[in-house]
Amino acid sequence: MERVCKFLKDAGVYYLATVEGDQPRVRPFGTAHIFEGKLYIQTGKVKPCSRQLMANPKAEICAFHNGVWVRIAGELVEDDRLEAKKSMLDAYPNLRRMYDENDGNTQVLYFKNAVATFSSFTAAPEIVEF
C-alpha cells in the first residue's frame, strides 16, 4: 500500500472514476494519504463525487507516471472522525485554504478491498491487494 500511495503522490494527479446511475464520472484528484494503515483520499461533501460515492462506494483510480500506470479498484468508505480529517489536512496544508476538519464539508474516505494493478508497455502487470 505504501508503494501505491507513493506512486499517486509522485504522479501528482490521478483520476477517480465513480458511477452516477448508469453513467461513469471521472475527475482529477491529488490527495493520497496513509492513516492508521489505510489509504485515504479527500473530497468535499458538497461535491457530486461525494454523493456518487455515498450511493455506490465502488470506485477506481488511474494514475500515470514515468511510463507506468496504476489502476486501483475497490470500495471507498467514509471516515467521519475528526482525527482522520485532521491527519489528511495536516499532510496537505494547502487544502486548509478551502477545508477544515470542523467545517462539516471535509470528507475523507479510505479504500476497502482494494486491488492495485501496476502496468506498463514493457513489463508484466504487478498486483497489490490491500
Side-chain angles (χ1 to χ4, degrees):
M1 180 179 28
E2 289 80 9
R3 177 180 174 208
V4 172
C5 187
K6 182 180 181 332
F7 188 94
L8 294 175
K9 288 180 179 186
D10 289 347
V13 174
Y14 60 86
Y15 296 87
L16 173 68
T18 59
V19 177
E20 185 173 54
D22 66 348
Q23 179 63 50
R25 302 287 183 194
V26 179
R27 80 280 291 151
F29 264 66
T31 55
H33 180 61
I34 294 176
F35 176 70
E36 294 183 345
K38 297 175 184 162
L39 178 63
Y40 280 75
I41 65 167
Q42 183 273 335
T43 191
K45 290 182 179 181
V46 299
K47 294 183 177 181
C49 172
S50 173
R51 290 189 295 278
Q52 292 156 9
L53 288 167
M54 294 302 95
N56 181 350
K58 292 182 181 178
E60 190 160 310
I61 285 176
C62 186
F64 184 83
H65 183 65
N66 289 339
V68 176
W69 61 94
V70 66
R71 290 177 48 219
I72 307 160
E75 298 173 47
L76 284 167
V77 178
E78 181 178 21
D79 185 340
D80 207 30
R81 294 177 301 150
L82 190 67
E83 300 84 4
K85 295 174 190 178
K86 183 177 183 329
S87 181
M88 174 65 80
L89 294 174
D90 287 350
Y92 288 89
N94 60 322
L95 289 177
R96 289 203 175 273
R97 288 179 276 137
M98 300 176 291
Y99 297 100
D100 181 270
E101 56 267 23
N102 296 299
D103 65 10
N105 179 43
T106 300
Q107 184 177 43
V108 293
L109 307 109
Y110 65 87
F111 266 100
K112 175 182 170 185
N113 302 323
V115 177
T117 305
F118 289 91
S119 301
S120 73
F121 292 116
T122 59
E126 295 178 55
I127 296 175
V128 176
E129 296 182 23
F130 55 95

